């Protein structure tokens, strides 16, 4: 009696050699023969009426994208939200405004801001780095600005030439009486997310208004 079950096991092993030829594994390939039905999609309109079953499957696919276009309707509301950058005021004297700006930059970098995201403007005396780099010529100086690899320091009078950055720091450290009034609105336009102004609060509030 035990010999009888052993014999079907021999028959099962006979099925094993069928798997050895590559043709045995090609058996799944005839299964994709119904798969040529995906070949029908290149002709969605024409075979649809001839074969009623495939159009029934394509119809739910068409129905799925229909709710999709309704979602973009909420997107336009998000655009105006991120328009105006934040403004921070750091009270400082004319002599201490540049030092206050340096401390603000250090805090920005320590908090994770990339150096390339920060632009520093001065209304009076140039930042020592800018004064040094300008000795090599304006072409070399502005080439570093265009490279955008590090914090860039510039005279507020040249803010029109500077490109926008996420954070702009302005040191109101002197200069003409109109320097702050001219530079701050332009600096605000250059700031993508944050404008930091170091100087006399009354003067800055007079220029930027109560939003400071």
């Amino acid at each position: 009696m035990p010999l009888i079950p052993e014999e079907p096991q021999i028959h099962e092993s006979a099925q094993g050699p069928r798997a050895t030829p590559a043709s045995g594994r090609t058996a799944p390939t005839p299964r994709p023969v119904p798969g040529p039905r995906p070949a029908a999609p290149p002709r969605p309109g024409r075979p649809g009426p001839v074969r009623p079953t495939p159009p029934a499957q394509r119809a739910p696919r068409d129905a799925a994208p229909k709710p999709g276009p309704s979602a973009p309707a909420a997107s336009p509301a998000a655009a105006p939200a991120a328009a105006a950058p934040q403004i921070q005021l750091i009270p400082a004297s004319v002599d201490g405004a540049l030092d206050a700006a340096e401390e603000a930059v250090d805090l920005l970098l320590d908090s994770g801001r990339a150096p390339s995201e920060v632009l520093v403007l001065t209304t009076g005396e140039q930042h020592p780095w800018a004064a040094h780099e300008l000795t090599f010529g304006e072409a070399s100086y502005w080439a570093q600005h265009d490279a955008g690899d590090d914090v860039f320091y510039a005279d507020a009078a040249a803010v029109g030439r500077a490109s926008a950055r996420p954070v702009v720091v302005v040191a109101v450290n002197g200069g003409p009486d109109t320097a702050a009034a001219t530079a701050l609105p332009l600096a605000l336009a250059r700031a993508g997310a944050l404008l930091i102004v170091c100087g006399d609060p009354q003067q800055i509030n007079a220029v930027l208004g109560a939003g400071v």
Side-chain angles (χ1 to χ4, degrees):
M1 299 299 290
L3 297 176
I4 296 171
E6 291 177 359
E7 292 177 356
Q9 292 177 355
I10 296 170
H11 291 291
E12 292 176 357
S13 65
Q15 295 175 354
R18 293 178 185 176
T20 53
S23 61
R25 296 179 182 175
T26 55
T29 52
R31 294 177 184 174
V33 172
R37 294 176 186 173
R43 304 174 183 175
R46 298 177 183 174
V50 180
R51 300 177 182 175
T53 53
Q57 295 177 350
R58 292 168 190 167
R61 293 178 185 175
D62 298 337
K66 291 177 183 176
S70 61
S75 61
Q86 295 181 351
I87 302 174
Q88 292 184 5
L89 170 59
I90 301 177
S93 64
V94 172
D95 295 335
L98 189 54
D99 291 337
E102 282 290 335
E103 292 177 4
V105 171
D106 290 340
L107 289 173
L108 288 168
L109 299 181
D110 291 342
S111 67
R113 282 284 181 184
S116 59
E117 296 181 343
V118 182
L119 170 67
V120 181
L121 303 174
T122 55
T123 62
E125 185 180 357
Q126 281 270 25
H127 187 278
W129 179 89
H132 173 73
E133 293 300 324
L134 282 169
T135 60
F136 299 100
E138 288 198 2
S140 173
Y141 169 74
W142 285 105
Q144 297 185 58
H145 165 271
D146 297 339
D149 298 329
D150 205 346
V151 179
F152 191 76
Y153 300 85
D155 191 317
V159 64
R161 185 170 178 180
S163 60
R165 292 200 180 190
V167 182
V168 177
V169 181
V170 181
V172 185
N173 61 336
D177 295 338
T178 59
T182 304
L184 291 180
L186 294 175
L188 182 61
R190 292 292 185 274
L194 178 62
L195 172 66
I196 301 176
V197 187
C198 307
D200 179 30
Q202 292 183 354
Q203 182 184 15
I204 296 167
N205 284 325
V207 175
L208 294 178
V212 179

